[in-house]
Amino acid sequence: MRPWDALHAAALALVENPVRTLLTLLGVIIGVACVVSMAAIGAGAQQRISEEIGAFGANVLVVNPGATRKDGVSSATGDQKSLTLADAEAIAGLATIAAAAASDFGKVQVVAKNRNWSTTVNGTNVRHFAIRQWTIGSGRAFSPEEEVSAAKVAVIGATAAEHLFGADDPIGQVVRILNTPFTVIGVMKPKGMAFGGQDQDDVVFVPIAAAAVRLIGGANTVNHDAVAYILASARSSDWMGYAVDDVTRLLRQRHDRGTRDDDFTVTTASSALAAQESSTRTVALLLGSVALFSLLVGGISIMNIMLVCVTERTPEIGLRLAIGARPRDVAFQFLLEATALSALGGLVGVILGSVAAVIVTRVLGWPVLVRPEMVAAALGLAAAFGVGFGWYPAWRASLLQPVDALRAR
Amino acid sequence: MLISAQDISRRYGAADLPFFALRPTSLEIEAGAFVAVVGASGSGKSTLMALLGLLDRPSSGRLLFEGRETTALRPDATARIRNRRIGFIFQQYHLLARMTVLRNVELPLVYAGESPRNRRRRAEAALESVGLTAKFHAMPANLSGGEQQRVAIARAIAADPVLLLADEPTGALDSTSGEGVLGLIEALNAQGRTVVMVTHDSGVAARARRVIRMRDGEIVSDGPADPETRHPERAAS
Ligand SMILES: Nc1ncnc2c1ncn2[C@@H]1O[C@H](COP(=O)(O)OP(=O)(O)O)[C@@H](O)[C@H]1O
Ligand SMILES: [Mg+2]
């Protein structure tokens, strides 16, 4: 018997009872859809993480106030700020550190002429831009004098510029931040989304001294020197480990921690994203187990339906044996049917899984990536389940004796 | 000798309480013969036919097909003999409902590994020889019983076998269709094909040249058909 004839026979058998075929395939469809969407989410996250590490800077570290939680993210402590401008100066002085910049920030209303926009105002200094490898698009950054004198100047991100000024040139215009007028001296180049889907360009930078005196720090009566975080860069990405150790040792000493836990958290691009990665991995694992379970159920239902088929079609088997089919031809026919059945389920599953992945991208904002090799792997997996679970019914069919099979009704 | 059976039997049931569907029987069928097997329902006719057609294995004895001992052959080898040398016609036609007439007739040639072109040509020729030229692409369910049985005959002769085994070929047909089918079988025998035909209808049996009568799993008589009843116009009733 030629392969094409076998395939033709299998296809005929499948379309003979389409509703049953579809119901049988439900398990495989769900399983493969899970595999595909899982792989898409995993691959998307992976790609985003490596992009992120590249964008954030492999040699960048962030020091936040507050102790480290188990998941590697610092616990936010709003009132007691443990990091100061002096800490940032000291970090900048470390041998493994290239630059450090303190930042203070808050979400406030910014008003430009007749428009008004709620955005993040970040008080920092020009080294912040250097550490993030972020360049000025037009205009200029703060001068050293402006930084020292708490000058009322602002460098704004592309999104903030668009919302506040539309198509107008923002340079030289005035924005009012908490009723204090600031002159826009520069606009940053667009930087895009951060991992969480946060727009990095929706920001207004002012000199940190200006922020401390006139804006966010003005409300903090406890400690005028306190900063929200310190951004630093290691001299090389190979030195990240040493840089983190140095910063930790230095801050423990400066903060008199003795035997107590750190009152700050050092985060690197890779450690921050590892936490993100572990949460996407949890989802992937969940989907993976649903997928495996569904495939198992799907495989069993295929086996079940194939056993029913063998019984129903015993007279057909008898006829085929009578006119010259060998037992292995009969076995092959049913095995092929089971495989075609589950491959069909796999195909529908791939389509559904891809649609699900696209919906996830749209609704949850997760990055997903449907890779052709993952699709092929999912199809292969489905076919393998078909072969695995189709084997037993096929073997049963091949054991039938022609005379008994013909007599069955 | 086409078939030579020596003390073949078919036994069912437990060893301590055996039931013989066919008691030990010897018979020979020469090439070109037209044999009818008659007897009451349950007398063992189908059992004998299944053994002669290598659809079943005897519980004892030897069965030579074209001089070759078959009882110890592996399933693949008997499948090959059935495929190339034997054509089967059943009372219930046994056509595959989801295939066209042409595909049904091609089926033995599919298992013979014939090329699609060859088997199509041969299947068409077989259908033409049973007078179904217009029905190549019809589905079996849309044919009358007589037409379906003629499709089954076309399928039986598609691979050009030497032996035709027919188990009650007219059993499900009205007398007119039955007569048509019988005429076809007679014509096939006239072309030189050996025919063994099971029937419980003595009128039908009278169309054969040799009649084997069975009762309770035994051959009770074996000889030329009664010339008195060899009248085609009375037979199909
Ligand atoms: N698989 C089987 N198991 C048990 N008994 C069987 C089996 N096949 C046939 N028989 C019995 O063998 C006897 C002969 O059957 P069969 O050859 O079909 O008769 P006929 O074709 O003459 O009507 C019957 O009594 C039948 O019930
Ligand atoms: Mg019978």
Side-chain angles (χ1 to χ4, degrees), chain A residues 404 407, chain B residues 12 19 21 40-47:
Chain A
D404 301 329
R407 234 185 253 269
Chain B
Y12 291 107
F19 168 77
S41 180
S43 58
K45 307 183 295 293
S46 294
T47 301

Side-chain angles (χ1 to χ4, degrees), chain B residues 115-207:
Chain B
S115 74
R117 266 192 55 195
N118 269 350
R119 68 185 187 222
R120 196 193 165 92
R121 184 179 50 74
R122 293 178 68 176
E124 284 174 355
L127 278 166
E128 275 160 23
S129 73
V130 299
L132 283 175
T133 322
K135 306 280 184 177
F136 288 177
H137 302 289
M139 298 309 276
N142 299 330
L143 301 183
S144 72
E147 286 171 327
Q148 289 189 54
Q149 191 62 298
R150 283 193 285 160
V151 174
I153 293 173
R155 180 181 63 194
I157 60 172
D160 197 22
V162 290
L163 173 64
L164 276 181
L165 292 176
D167 193 348
E168 311 266 14
T170 59
L173 301 178
D174 62 74
S175 57
T176 321
S177 322
E179 179 50 41
V181 163
L182 267 179
L184 271 175
I185 291 173
E186 280 179 325
L188 290 169
N189 175 250
Q191 287 164 18
R193 269 182 248 270
T194 312
V195 174
V196 177
M197 177 177 69
V198 165
T199 177
H200 62 263
D201 183 331
S202 52
V204 172
R207 305 285 282 271

Side-chain angles (χ1 to χ4, degrees), chain A residues 29 32-33 36 345-355 370 374-376 378-379:
Chain A
I29 290 173
V32 169
V36 168
L347 211 64
V348 178
V350 163
I351 292 165
L352 282 186
S354 306
V355 168
V370 179
M374 288 312 297
V375 169
L379 280 178

Side-chain angles (χ1 to χ4, degrees), chain A residues 93-158:
Chain A
L94 286 167
T96 47
I97 296 295
S103 266
D104 213 351
F105 68 91
K107 184 113 179 162
V108 296
Q109 285 287 329
V110 177
V111 185
K113 279 186 196 157
N114 50 350
R115 301 197 212 201
N116 112 31
W117 179 243
S118 174
T119 185
T120 302
V121 172
N122 191 325
T124 186
N125 60 43
V126 288
R127 288 180 297 287
H128 182 103
F129 307 138
I131 292 165
R132 291 175 76 179
Q133 296 183 323
W134 198 355
T135 51
I136 302 284
S138 67
R140 60 178 181 84
F142 315 127
S143 70
E145 295 75 38
E146 285 164 342
E147 287 184 353
V148 173
S149 65
K152 293 183 279 183
V153 290
V155 174
I156 61 179

Side-chain angles (χ1 to χ4, degrees), chain A residues 1-2 5 8 12-13 16 313 315-316 319-329 333 402-403 406-407 409, chain B residues 47 50 55-56 75-76 79 82-83 88 90 94 96 98-99 103 107-108 110-111 113-116 119 155:
Chain A
M1 191 163 183
R2 288 153 180 258
D5 294 320
H8 182 93
L12 279 180
E16 195 179 23
R313 282 156 60 190
E316 173 190 330
L319 182 273
R320 286 177 183 272
L321 289 168
I323 65 175
R326 299 164 299 178
R328 81 178 79 140
D329 292 325
Q333 181 188 341
V403 66
L406 277 168
R407 234 185 253 269
R409 260 293 134 130
Chain B
T47 301
L55 293 171
D56 198 7
D76 284 9
R82 289 195 301 270
N83 185 229
F88 293 92
F90 303 100
H94 272 300
L96 299 190
R98 58 175 176 274
M99 292 182 182
R103 291 286 304 185
L107 214 48
V110 167
Y111 286 112
E114 281 270 11
S115 74
R119 68 185 187 222
R155 180 181 63 194

Side-chain angles (χ1 to χ4, degrees), chain A residues 144-198:
Chain A
E145 295 75 38
E146 285 164 342
E147 287 184 353
V148 173
S149 65
K152 293 183 279 183
V153 290
V155 174
I156 61 179
T159 304
E162 192 195 315
H163 282 285
L164 290 167
F165 299 105
D168 300 345
D169 183 9
I171 309 291
Q173 308 261 20
V174 172
V175 289
R176 303 183 75 83
I177 308 170
L178 293 177
N179 277 324
T180 306
F182 281 72
T183 305
V184 178
I185 56 168
V187 179
M188 306 298 295
K189 274 191 178 151
K191 197 154 171 70
M193 296 283 173
F195 186 83
Q198 187 190 337

